[in-house]
Amino acid sequence: AKLMDSLTADSVSLYHPPFHATRSAISYQQIWSSTDFSIAIFVLPAGTVIPLHDHPGMTVLSKLLYGKMRVTSYDVPAHASIVRPSLFGITAKRRLRCNLPRHEVVAAETSTLMLDPVYGNIHQFEAINDTAVFDVLLP
């Protein structure tokens, strides 16, 4: 996570706003994917939202490259099974009783965000202004 703190849009050759982004759609650029980890960049135009979702059993590091966003997150309840379908899954809906959410506004100057299989694993991103997020997902 410390290495990611120094990442900027320039260090990954991302120009603001990226030429491929539209004003209403979130864009996604996969950088690397393997069974060990994956790296991607999400570009969120102002006002767009990556809805509430989770990454079951995973650790995710997120670094804002530019912009500002509101993060809402919940911890996975202690009684919940670590191995379960994603909230985006096609399987039957499952309700989890979580504690109150954490709300945080983060910007490019903010340290790398980290969620793990329990802490903050259920989360949502809302772009306050045009925002780019560099994500590393670790199984």
Side-chain angles (χ1 to χ4, degrees):
K2 287 284 187 201
L3 286 174
M4 285 179 59
D5 286 345
S6 63
L7 277 178
T8 65
D10 285 340
S11 63
V12 296
S13 300
L14 182 67
Y15 304 101
H16 173 59
F19 67 90
H20 61 280
T22 64
R23 294 303 314 153
S24 62
I26 295 170
S27 60
Y28 167 84
Q29 178 63 52
Q30 183 172 305
I31 309 276
W32 177 261
S33 183
S34 72
T35 56
D36 297 322
F37 67 96
S38 65
I39 300 172
I41 296 174
F42 289 89
V43 177
L44 295 84
T48 59
V49 175
I50 295 177
L52 192 65
H53 66 284
D54 66 350
H55 299 275
M58 299 179 84
T59 296
V60 180
L61 304 171
S62 299
K63 173 66 175 126
L64 267 69
L65 300 174
Y66 62 77
K68 186 186 280 188
M69 71 178 179
R70 185 172 294 107
V71 178
T72 302
S73 64
Y74 300 84
D75 294 343
V76 175
H79 64 279
S81 170
I82 295 295
V83 179
R84 66 185 194 289
S86 169
L87 293 178
F88 276 178
I90 300 172
T91 58
K93 292 182 181 179
R94 180 172 176 203
R95 293 184 185 192
L96 296 175
R97 182 166 297 193
C98 298
N99 290 331
L100 293 176
R102 278 184 296 285
H103 299 282
E104 183 178 9
V105 173
V106 296
E109 302 78 30
T110 305
S111 297
T112 301
L113 304 172
M114 184 175 118
L115 62 84
D116 63 31
V118 174
Y119 178 80
N121 197 281
I122 303 168
H123 58 281
Q124 171 178 298
F125 292 162
E126 178 185 355
I128 295 170
N129 48 24
D130 292 348
T131 302
V133 183
F134 185 93
D135 264 358
V136 177
L137 284 79
L138 305 158

